[in-house]
């Protein structure tokens, strides 16, 4: 990776052309929006909103299924940056079906979305349990060959470091943390109705940054794996903070809302300035620096 | 920053014809420009992007009755609450032209009508197409602003042809330098090709399924462009680079399909 910023899953990653654009805007790596085993239409609008302190979404993992995505996946080599592919399933078998097909396209990383709060069957049910998450990881590892596997964890787990540890023991190659927080709810008081059609939605953006930093800090102490840290990173200083907590790379998603699609270049520039002002030569020196 | 649906009361409802209504909102949007849109939320039904169709000191949306959501819009009365967020998108660049032509297919005139009014001093030529005379809206508004040419499928008003069939002649005769358009995408594709051939610029407003409206989700992607923030209005230069324009669009769950299949799903 030419820099530590990564387009987080769920944002913009619908096709190769859009990912190319994100790479042009400075991302060090990009992630395809979560791909599932079959067509899933997702939730009705409103699905993505922003309140004063963060974003709230319940898009519901819409996907045309991995078979339909083969055309796009086959083109990932056109991208001049590592490509991560996020996948989901409602069972260990489904995760494996998707992972096996996706691994055939040799992405840089397969991210396991075991932590989406916005669906009943998929996601968070796995991520809250050390045992279930580890089961998914080890089963997926059996079908993905040399392609690294990175579970994305939920802050709703009682002990996120424990889940990370279980993933490490199950053979995970890296850990991504965190997925959205909550779910939360906002009500339109004139309509007397929850604003999201799905009522509940995951919280992201600046509001969750302290939770994300704490989670990454704890995971760093528990495992010896690289961590993709994310949650509320919108500025260079936030990225430095996430790396000092223990992240080797930093995911940016809601930051696209707060600072535009050019957020990647801007964060990198701001990091460079901060690093030179503070005597750092290499981003690697930042990783885990807050643990001394 | 906040992008939540804000409760807005309906100030009045105008029936444009049997299938089309204009809903005026109590809160005007003084900063909005022609071509921008708002996300309109009907609690319990859906939230969809709709073009602002009126901007002279008041804000309005104009809706053709098609399905469950637009049925809900049709039931709105003076005083009803709806949720509105926006305005979103780039809007038309009204300064780009000296002699503009405005071309609309059906209710595609909605975002173009406030543009035509803004461009009144430049005497725009307006071409409006519809299946028959009864389908036209905003005739009076447009006739006040400039010369209006009509095209209908059955010849009941103006010429019996597509609106785009009249464009080449208008561009030549009137010395048009920029064409502004909105309507079915296959019509826009023809408009684009005619403009390219006649070497005049165009600004065309595209439509895609949207979730967020502010550029983060990617559901409205046309190649690497986001219709919600990079558009909905695109210039000839941008349209030239698109491989999906006039050919493909994405369904709600992201599947890329032909425009025909997309329109069938939208019905």
């Amino acid at each position: 990776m030419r820099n530590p910023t990564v387009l987080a899953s769920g944002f913009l990653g619908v096709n190769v052309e859009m990912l190319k654009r994100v790479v042009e805007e400075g991302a060090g790596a990009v992630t395809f929006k979560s791909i599932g085993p079959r067509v899933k239409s997702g939730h009705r609008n409103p699905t993505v909103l922003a309140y004063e302190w963060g974003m709230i979404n319940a898009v519901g993992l819409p996907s045309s299924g991995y078979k339909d995505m083969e055309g796009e996946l086959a083109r990932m080599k056109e991208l001049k940056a590592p490509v991560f592919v996020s996948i989901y399933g409602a069972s260990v078998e489904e995760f494996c079906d998707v992972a096996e097909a996706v691994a055939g396209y040799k992405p840089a990383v397969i991210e396991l979305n075991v932590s989406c709060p916005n669906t009943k069957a998929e996601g968070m049910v796995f991520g809250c349990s050390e045992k279930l998450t580890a089961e998914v990881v080890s089963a997926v590892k059996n079908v993905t060959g040399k392609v690294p596997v990175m579970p994305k964890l939920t802050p709703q787990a009682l002990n996120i470091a424990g889940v990370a540890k279980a993933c490490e023991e199950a053979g995970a190659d890296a850990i991504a943390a965190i997925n959205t927080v909550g779910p939360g709810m906002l009500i339109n008081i004139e309509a007397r109705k929850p604003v999201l059609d799905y009522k509940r939605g995951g919280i992201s953006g600046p509001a969750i940054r302290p939770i994300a930093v704490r989670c990454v800090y704890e995971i760093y102490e528990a495992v010896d794996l690289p961590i993709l840290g994310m949650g509320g990173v919108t500025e260079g200083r936030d990225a430095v903070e996430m790396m000092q907590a223990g992240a080797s790379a930093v995911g940016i998603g809601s930051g696209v809302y707060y600072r535009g699609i050019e957020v990647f270049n801007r964060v990198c520039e701001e990091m460079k300035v901060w690093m030179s002002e503070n005597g750092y030569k290499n981003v690697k020196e930042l990783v885990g620096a807050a643990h001394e | 920053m906040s992008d939540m649906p804000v409760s807005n009361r309906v100030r009045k409802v105008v029936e444009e014809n049997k299938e089309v209504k204009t809903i005026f909102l109590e809160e005007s949007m003084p900063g909005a420009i022609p071509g921008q849109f708002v996300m309109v939320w009907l609690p319990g039904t859906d939230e969809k992007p709709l073009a602002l169709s009126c901007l002279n000191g008041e804000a309005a949306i104009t809706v053709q009755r098609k399905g469950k959501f637009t049925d809900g819009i049709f039931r709105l009365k003076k005083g009803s609450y709806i949720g509105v967020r926006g305005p979103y998108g780039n809007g038309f660049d009204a300064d780009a032209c000296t002699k503009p032509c405005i071309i609309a297919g059906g209710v595609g005139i909605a975002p173009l009508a406030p543009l035509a009014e803004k461009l009144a001093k430049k005497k725009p030529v307006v071409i409006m197409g519809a299946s028959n005379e009864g389908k036209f809206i905003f005739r009076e508004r447009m006739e006040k602003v400039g010369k209006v040419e009509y095209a209908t499928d059955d010849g009941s008003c103006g010429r019996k042809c597509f609106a785009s069939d009249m464009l080449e002649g208008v561009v030549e005769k009137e010395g048009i330098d920029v064409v502004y358009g909105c309507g079915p995408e296959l019509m826009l594709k023809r408009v684009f090709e005619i403009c390219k051939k006649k070497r005049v610029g165009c600004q065309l407003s595209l439509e895609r399924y949207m979730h967020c409206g502010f550029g983060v989700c990617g559901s409205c992607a046309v190649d690497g462009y986001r219709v919600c923030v990079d558009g909905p209005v695109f210039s000839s230069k941008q349209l030239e680079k698109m491989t999906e324009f006039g050919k493909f669009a994405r369904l709600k769950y992201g599947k890329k399909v032909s425009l025909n299949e997309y329109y069938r799903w939208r019905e």
Side-chain angles (χ1 to χ4, degrees):
Chain A
M1 277 169 62
R2 58 181 172 157
N3 71 58
T5 65
V6 180
L7 172 71
S9 56
F11 291 84
L12 296 171
V14 295
N15 64 357
V16 168
E17 299 306 320
M18 190 63 78
L19 293 176
K20 276 186 189 169
R21 165 119 185 250
V22 175
V23 171
E24 280 165 24
E25 302 286 356
V30 290
T31 313
F32 263 106
K33 200 172 166 76
S34 292
I35 296 171
R38 66 187 73 82
V39 168
K40 187 170 186 307
S41 76
H43 302 313
R44 204 163 54 176
N45 281 345
T47 45
V48 187
L49 299 167
Y51 66 108
E52 296 91 318
W53 319 110
M55 295 184 66
I56 182 164
N57 90 81
V59 182
L61 295 175
S63 174
S64 56
Y66 68 90
K67 287 190 183 113
D68 184 69
M69 285 300 285
E70 282 174 348
E72 294 291 337
L73 293 170
R75 291 181 57 210
M76 76 170 84
K77 287 198 176 61
E78 293 173 26
L79 286 152
K80 294 188 179 93
V83 180
F84 300 2
V85 180
S86 172
I87 66 164
Y88 69 86
S91 64
V92 173
E93 291 72 32
E94 284 186 1
F95 265 103
C96 288
D97 288 347
V98 184
E100 190 170 8
V102 168
Y105 297 95
K106 304 261 180 294
V109 174
I110 291 178
E111 181 178 286
L112 306 178
N113 185 354
V114 289
S115 48
C116 176
N118 298 327
T119 56
K120 286 201 183 80
E122 299 86 358
M124 216 163 79
V125 283
F126 291 101
C128 282
S129 151
E130 294 175 16
K131 188 170 159 275
L132 288 177
T133 306
E135 263 177 47
V136 175
V137 170
S138 81
V140 166
K141 278 297 286 180
N142 280 333
V143 297
T144 49
K146 285 183 181 153
V147 179
V149 171
M150 175 175 73
K152 183 171 183 178
L153 305 187
T154 170
Q156 273 67 247
L158 281 177
N159 174 8
I160 194 167
V163 178
K165 186 77 194 155
C167 290
E168 182 178 42
E169 283 159 7
D173 300 282
I175 301 287
I178 56 175
N179 207 319
T180 53
V181 173
M185 182 186 285
L186 290 168
I187 290 170
N188 180 295
I189 57 175
E190 285 83 19
R192 301 191 304 273
K193 281 201 163 57
V195 187
L196 290 173
D197 195 78
Y198 191 65
K199 298 187 174 73
R200 298 159 186 83
I203 315 291
S204 62
I208 72 163
R209 203 182 86 232
I211 298 172
V213 170
R214 185 268 299 169
C215 288
V216 168
Y217 189 94
E218 290 177 2
I219 293 167
Y220 182 81
E221 302 213 313
V223 302
D224 288 320
L225 297 175
I227 303 166
L228 171 60
M230 63 189 112
V233 172
T234 60
E235 297 178 9
R237 294 183 66 87
D238 305 337
V240 170
E241 178 188 39
M242 197 62 86
M243 294 186 76
Q244 289 189 353
S248 299
V250 175
I252 296 178
S254 299
V256 173
Y257 169 68
Y258 291 96
R259 304 196 66 198
I261 198 167
E262 59 275 31
V263 64
F264 303 93
N265 274 327
R266 294 170 79 176
V267 165
C268 289
E269 276 311 305
E270 289 157 1
M271 285 181 81
K272 266 187 212 159
V273 171
W274 186 90
M275 285 170 63
S276 77
E277 281 172 3
N278 289 276
Y280 289 88
K281 290 200 175 65
N282 192 312
V283 285
K284 287 192 180 117
E285 297 164 42
L286 298 171
V287 181
H291 291 262
E292 313 286 290
Chain B
M1 279 171 91
S2 170
D3 278 279
M4 297 297 290
V6 174
S7 301
N8 203 321
R9 271 185 209 275
V10 173
R11 192 169 59 77
K12 69 173 175 184
V13 177
V14 174
E15 196 175 310
E16 306 289 355
N17 66 33
K18 277 184 188 155
E19 292 172 15
V20 180
K21 277 186 181 179
T22 297
I23 313 291
F24 288 83
L25 306 173
E26 256 181 12
E27 299 287 325
S28 66
M29 297 192 182
I33 63 170
Q36 286 191 303
F37 65 94
V38 285
M39 294 296 285
V40 175
W41 175 48
L42 292 181
T45 307
D46 210 334
E47 185 192 47
K48 284 187 187 294
L50 292 170
L52 290 163
S53 59
C54 206
L55 283 168
N56 40 355
E58 49 191 358
I61 50 170
T62 297
V63 175
Q64 180 169 29
R65 192 170 197 167
K66 273 193 165 175
K68 207 175 146 197
F69 177 78
T70 47
D71 282 349
I73 299 273
F74 261 60
R75 280 194 294 272
L76 295 173
K77 293 190 174 63
K78 184 176 185 235
S80 306
Y81 266 129
I82 54 173
V84 179
R85 56 189 179 95
Y88 293 127
N90 56 358
F92 294 103
D93 177 5
D95 298 326
C97 64
T98 50
K99 181 66 182 174
C101 172
I102 283 167
I103 184 163
V107 286
I109 192 68
L112 291 165
L115 174 74
E117 283 159 354
K118 191 171 171 182
L119 291 171
K121 278 190 186 143
K122 296 180 181 176
K123 304 221 176 322
V125 180
V126 181
I127 307 173
M128 287 166 68
S131 52
N132 62 63
E133 183 166 26
K135 296 276 170 74
F136 286 114
I137 58 166
F138 298 164
R139 285 181 71 168
E140 261 178 60
R141 267 177 87 182
M142 292 303 94
E143 283 168 12
K144 253 189 233 169
V145 169
K147 189 164 151 192
V148 185
E149 306 267 7
Y150 294 99
T152 48
D153 296 350
D154 64 358
S156 55
C157 179
R159 275 176 56 192
K160 184 177 172 173
C161 65
F162 291 130
S164 53
D165 294 331
M166 299 170 83
L167 181 62
E168 196 166 338
V170 167
V171 167
E172 280 171 11
K173 208 171 87 199
E174 307 280 349
I176 300 297
D177 64 345
V178 177
V179 176
Y180 298 91
C182 182
E185 198 158 311
L186 291 176
M187 172 196 124
L188 296 182
K189 183 84 177 171
R190 275 215 62 204
V191 168
F192 167 75
E193 277 156 7
I194 292 164
C195 290
K196 193 173 161 181
K197 179 178 155 201
K198 303 309 288 179
R199 293 171 183 236
V200 297
C202 64
Q203 291 187 29
L204 307 179
S205 180
L206 305 189
E207 181 272 344
R208 287 295 183 274
Y209 181 81
M210 279 177 200
H211 281 303
C212 71
F214 44 69
V216 305
C217 74
S219 55
C220 63
V222 178
D223 297 297
Y225 294 99
R226 299 162 294 173
V227 170
C228 66
V229 294
D230 302 317
V233 179
F234 292 98
S235 67
S236 339
K237 244 188 198 165
Q238 294 169 312
L239 295 161
E240 180 78 51
K241 287 185 208 155
M242 293 176 183
T243 62
E244 294 176 4
F245 169 52
K247 292 191 186 109
F248 303 104
R250 283 180 178 73
L251 303 181
K252 182 168 175 265
Y253 56 87
K255 187 181 169 67
K256 184 170 151 181
V257 297
S258 71
L259 272 184
N260 279 336
E261 194 177 339
Y262 177 74
Y263 283 125
R264 270 203 303 279
W265 168 66
R266 292 299 258 168
E267 281 299 312

